[in-house]
Amino acid sequence: VQLQASGGGLVQAGGPLRLSCAAFGSVGRIGAMSWHRQAPGEQREFVGSITSEGITNYAESVKGRCTISRDYAKNTVYLQMNSLEPDDTAVYYCAVPKFWTSAYRCFTDRDYYWGQGTEVTVSS
């Protein structure tokens, strides 16, 4: 499975940005598609996910500012971010589990297929 993310860039604080990520290859049945991010000097963190049933979960830091949606026919997940803050500056990664699970996220990073990341920079 390969994941191709796009949509990153430079945006002013308070502005919106939409990221997308498509899954290719031997996709099969996909569980939750998720977004994670890694800020400079920080560990990668979970941003949010959408399950195969369309249930969304978000980290507290982005709740209310982000919306995750999914096109099941295209195996594509989207992350709409609004009211961006400088603390949102990070490389954003999409991920899907390596095996079927109904859970909204995996226990460890090793259980995911990862995209290459797309960089988001929020200027103040």
Side-chain angles (χ1 to χ4, degrees):
V1 174
Q2 293 182 330
L3 299 167
Q4 183 68 45
S6 60
L10 176 65
V11 62
Q12 286 191 331
L17 196 67
R18 188 188 194 215
L19 306 180
S20 62
C21 176
F24 301 94
S26 301
V27 175
R29 187 182 186 190
I30 298 179
M33 299 186 79
S34 58
W35 288 97
H36 308 250
R37 67 185 181 184
Q38 186 169 20
E42 303 289 335
Q43 289 190 332
R44 187 158 51 190
E45 64 175 0
F46 174 81
V47 174
S49 69
I50 182 167
T51 69
S52 59
E53 291 79 25
I55 299 170
T56 53
N57 287 272
Y58 300 97
E60 285 299 321
S61 58
V62 302
K63 196 173 289 185
R65 300 188 296 119
C66 290
T67 301
I68 294 176
S69 58
R70 180 170 173 175
D71 185 328
Y72 294 86
K74 297 180 180 179
N75 287 323
T76 299
V77 63
Y78 305 94
L79 175 63
Q80 176 69 45
M81 299 186 289
N82 300 317
S83 303
L84 282 163
E85 304 166 354
D87 284 348
D88 294 316
T89 294
V91 177
Y92 283 71
Y93 299 89
C94 59
V96 298
K98 291 182 177 177
F99 48 85
W100 166 253
T101 174
S102 60
Y104 75 94
R105 64 180 300 182
C106 294
F107 288 113
T108 73
D109 286 0
R110 295 190 302 272
D111 292 337
Y112 287 112
Y113 290 114
W114 293 96
Q116 85 286 4
T118 184
E119 190 167 0
V120 173
T121 302
V122 183
S123 62
S124 57

